[in-house]
Amino acid sequence: MEDFKHVPVLLKETVELLVTDKGGFYVDATLGMGGHAKKILENLDGSGRVLGIDWDPEMINISKNNLSGYSGKVKITAGNFANIDEILKRAAVMNISGILFDLGVSSLHFDKPQRGFSLKHEGPLDMRINPANPLTAHTIINKWPFEQIEHLIRTCGERFSYKIAKTIMERREKKEFETTTDLRNMIESVLPYTGRKSNPATKTFLALRVAVNYEFDNLTRGMQKATQFLAPGARMAIITFHSLEDRIVKETFGFMSRMGGWKMITKKPVSPSEEEVSGNNRARSAKLRVIEKIK
Ligand SMILES: C[S@@+](CC[C@H](N)C(=O)[O-])C[C@H]1O[C@@H](n2cnc3c(N)ncnc32)[C@H](O)[C@@H]1O
């Protein structure tokens, strides 16, 4: 097995806020390499259990290996958390003590060029979390109409969306885009670096990833469906990495607590310490929000 690492973000804070019943049944809806799941398992007693879910078969293999010391206490299953109701029913689970969503993709997705997520390493324009899905970044960039591409990039916060979409159209008339570097070079050549903290292609890459994997739709569906399975006193913890997904979580949690039956545990989102960010730059934009079903 190749050696990729992922440092779990807000690990201590998340597990402290999530685990309220040491003998409970917890769901890690974004298992990844199993870093958070391992810490949850360490905090449970003999009767506590974890169900880990990931959409990416590659992560399933890695987490099975990483959590092999916990057999009997952990069950690992492949699936999209947007279908959490079906996944839990299939596992004959009716009531859970807590659920974690650590959103987005793992460091492996960025570090492995073949997956096509990286701005730094050249790879195919892929970006699928689950490689069985039909839609790829290649299809969006080379086939979608101008209006759809411009709208997608604009809604992900890129103010030069018109210019980028127009240049994509002009370029693909002559030659299709094939690689991540191909796309990044084109964006760098038309947009200035001036005044930007990150690479000019960052927001376009984020927009593509979000669209390829229906990330906002999955999040909304996953949160809504999970609420039906939380036992009284159980918590839902969500770690986000950009303002668009954080807004969905903030608004959904706000709505839930106004409707009644839910108590906001984090009045303000929990952010990583300076120490954590200095050791793991990926943590810099993380925000943790937690809500509890009232007993
Ligand atoms: C930030 S990583 C989680 C890292 C994990 N907490 C750890 O400690 O290793 C996010 C994971 O969620 C998975 N994922 C993304 N969208 C998903 C979805 N809709 N359903 C299930 N898993 C998903 C990704 O494949 C990735 O492994």
Side-chain angles (χ1 to χ4, degrees):
M1 200 172 282
E2 292 162 287
D3 191 21
F4 289 102
K5 298 248 175 317
H6 175 91
V7 181
V9 169
L10 288 165
L11 183 60
K12 188 167 165 285
E13 296 86 342
T14 303
V15 177
E16 270 175 16
L17 287 172
L18 181 69
V19 177
T20 52
D21 171 9
K22 284 185 173 298
F25 187 99
Y26 289 85
V27 175
D28 184 341
T30 50
L31 185 62
M33 295 198 185
H36 282 98
K38 184 165 183 282
K39 189 83 176 162
I40 296 171
L41 285 157
E42 283 166 7
N43 276 268
L44 299 182
D45 65 22
S47 55
R49 296 284 181 272
V50 169
L51 172 70
I53 301 166
D54 206 288
W55 204 15
D56 182 348
E58 186 164 10
M59 305 312 291
I60 293 288
N61 286 336
I62 296 174
S63 58
K64 277 191 176 157
N65 187 50
N66 290 350
L67 298 174
S68 58
Y70 294 90
S71 62
K73 288 184 65 83
V74 63
K75 197 166 177 271
I76 296 175
T77 184
N80 181 346
F81 61 60
N83 304 320
I84 187 102
D85 50 343
E86 287 161 28
I87 296 171
L88 291 178
K89 280 180 195 154
R90 227 182 299 131
V93 175
M94 301 310 292
N95 270 316
I96 61 177
S97 317
I99 184 165
L100 168 64
F101 296 87
D102 175 18
L103 296 173
V105 291
S106 163
S107 301
L108 170 142
H109 293 109
F110 292 118
D111 295 342
K112 199 168 175 182
Q114 305 92 289
R115 300 301 302 264
F117 288 91
S118 175
L119 262 174
K120 287 192 214 132
H121 315 291
E122 178 152 39
L125 277 167
D126 191 318
M127 302 200 191
R128 287 172 297 179
I129 290 174
N130 181 339
N133 282 344
L135 183 61
T136 62
H138 186 274
T139 305
I140 295 180
I141 289 294
N142 292 304
K143 302 282 181 249
W144 276 20
F146 169 83
E147 293 74 17
Q148 244 178 301
I149 294 185
E150 191 279 326
H151 179 261
L152 170 66
I153 305 175
R154 178 162 35 89
T155 46
C156 282
E158 176 53 70
R159 58 195 174 98
F160 294 104
S161 54
Y162 186 89
K163 194 167 187 178
I164 294 175
K166 195 163 167 287
T167 319
I168 289 172
M169 296 298 133
E170 288 164 5
R171 157 60 212 272
R172 80 185 197 190
E173 285 283 297
K174 295 176 214 133
K175 187 173 175 290
E176 283 202 342
F177 289 87
E178 290 301 336
T179 71
T180 48
T181 311
D182 199 5
L183 179 63
R184 191 198 69 203
N185 288 346
M186 183 232 87
I187 298 172
E188 282 176 355
S189 71
V190 294
L191 295 197
Y193 256 104
T194 355
R196 285 176 179 262
K197 286 194 196 122
S198 49
N199 184 286
T202 303
K203 286 189 173 148
T204 304
F205 270 57
L206 173 67
L208 287 169
R209 198 195 91 195
V210 161
V212 165
N213 299 294
Y214 336 105
E215 290 187 27
F216 298 153
D217 190 42
N218 288 340
L219 173 59
T220 310
R221 285 168 60 200
M223 275 193 291
Q224 275 172 2
K225 290 178 173 180
T227 57
Q228 302 154 22
F229 291 85
L230 289 173
R235 293 182 175 183
M236 178 168 359
I238 308 191
I239 305 171
T240 62
F241 290 88
H242 55 86
S243 57
L244 296 163
E245 60 189 10
D246 184 56
R247 194 191 309 153
I248 297 175
V249 177
K250 184 180 168 189
E251 284 175 4
T252 309
F253 280 9
F255 177 74
M256 286 160 72
S257 51
R258 282 195 303 280
M259 290 291 287
W262 296 88
K263 182 168 84 182
M264 202 83 88
I265 299 298
T266 49
K267 300 275 179 281
K268 287 223 167 85
V270 179
S271 298
S273 63
E274 276 177 27
E275 194 189 348
E276 176 169 1
V277 176
S278 69
N280 179 17
N281 190 43
R282 211 186 144 264
R284 70 193 181 284
S285 48
K287 284 190 174 133
L288 167 68
R289 294 183 189 268
V290 182
I291 200 163
E292 181 181 289
K293 195 171 207 171
I294 292 171
K295 283 187 188 158

